[in-house]
Amino acid sequence: MRLPRHRKLAYGWLPLTLWTALTIAVTWVLAGCAGNPVSIATTPENKAYALYGEFVIFEEQAAALKQSGTLPAPAARALTQADAIAKPTADALAQAARDYLAAEAALKAGSGTASQLQIATSQLAHWTQQADTDITALINAVKGAHP
Amino acid sequence: MNLLALIPDFLRAIGAVLPTLAGLAGSAGWISLAEQVLSAGATLIERGEEGAGDLQALTQHIQSLQGTNASSADWDALRARSEAAHAILQTSPSAPSP
């Protein structure tokens, strides 16, 4: 049985509709059920840790999706590109957190200065802001992966 | 019963019968695409559930810190997971275009 052309065009929207519904379902699962680790963090270090942790979780999601082989090539490429951008920033955030902790420990031990801690705090704030942007792009790529 | 957990199996079941429908309808193109989308959607939902669990665990961990710093072991564990995921993302081949 051959379908008329207008019926084929109508069916052509089916995959997109299905995918949109699935994306909404996943977004609901991730956003609604899990809480927001960054928003409940109370210190600069905790915020950095929460943000880095969120990055790792979505990076693992992206890796598993790509490894599954079920994603269309453009969506898989988008995940790879978003990770390539977010990863260096996330690593810089982790390093800034390490420097902050070292400066804080040095100040407590009497071997560091308040000025050094202030610089480390400023660096941590800078990389937290930068990472927030790049990691959000990765999160959006994972949530919005589409054919 | 977690109904959401049944969705991936449901989607894969639909995907499994689509080739039969394609034979009946004589139009394999869109059905093949829909089959791919259903399969990808099932994977996405499965991963979404796992990710939601991980986010919940991270949120609880941050709460348990109560303003104290995360340990270096905590940071190292996250870094190791990131390196593993990054290696997969930057080396594994992409799926073919539909």
Side-chain angles (χ1 to χ4, degrees), chain A residues 111-130:
Chain A
S111 58
T113 65
S115 170
Q116 287 171 328
L117 180 59
Q118 195 174 12
I119 292 169
T121 304
S122 171
Q123 282 294 305
L124 185 59
H126 165 75
W127 284 111
T128 298
Q129 191 175 14
Q130 183 62 45

Side-chain angles (χ1 to χ4, degrees), chain B residues 16-34:
Chain B
V17 301
L18 280 177
T20 308
L21 290 176
L24 292 173
S27 173
W30 71 267
I31 288 186
S32 171
L33 186 57

